[in-house]
Amino acid sequence: MHELSIVTGIIDIAASQAASAGAECIEEIELEIGCLTTVEMDAFEFAWSQGVKGTILDGTVKTVHRIPGKATCMDCPTSFALQHIFDPCPVCGSHWINIEDGKQLRVKSLIVS
Ligand SMILES: [Zn+2]
């Protein structure tokens, strides 16, 4: 499952960050998941609840920020909100667009103790 491998990746990042900070537990984690990623949030939440058991993130408070998609058209000077990665420019219909935001999937911050 795609979402479970994402959760595993986040656990690896969190564990190495905690180790380099000399921390034994992670109280809070903040994640950014762009709306243009293929992450399905229900599946992600389920994968999280299963995946973190027995790891350093077991019991950690998790906050997820969804980052809306944003793009600029390369054929006209329009910036627009992008719902789906293959949406065209709403003004001129061009598919030649530059995606500026919404594709990230990252750990924004960790609070360790
Ligand atoms: Zn355009």
Side-chain angles (χ1 to χ4, degrees), residues 5-58:
S5 66
I6 294 167
V7 170
T8 306
I10 292 169
I11 294 166
D12 287 347
I13 292 165
S16 68
Q17 293 279 317
S20 65
E24 282 171 11
C25 99
I26 297 174
E27 291 178 17
E28 290 179 44
I29 187 166
E30 267 187 281
L31 307 173
E32 283 186 346
I33 302 180
C35 295
L36 300 177
T37 62
T38 57
V39 179
E40 211 276 286
M41 288 314 290
D42 288 346
F44 179 79
E45 291 293 340
F46 180 74
W48 183 273
S49 66
Q50 300 299 308
V52 300
K53 278 181 189 160
T55 75
I56 195 161
L57 291 175
D58 201 347

Side-chain angles (χ1 to χ4, degrees), residues 73 75-76 78 89 91-94:
C73 181
D75 284 333
C76 74
T78 305
C89 170
V91 174
C92 73
S94 173

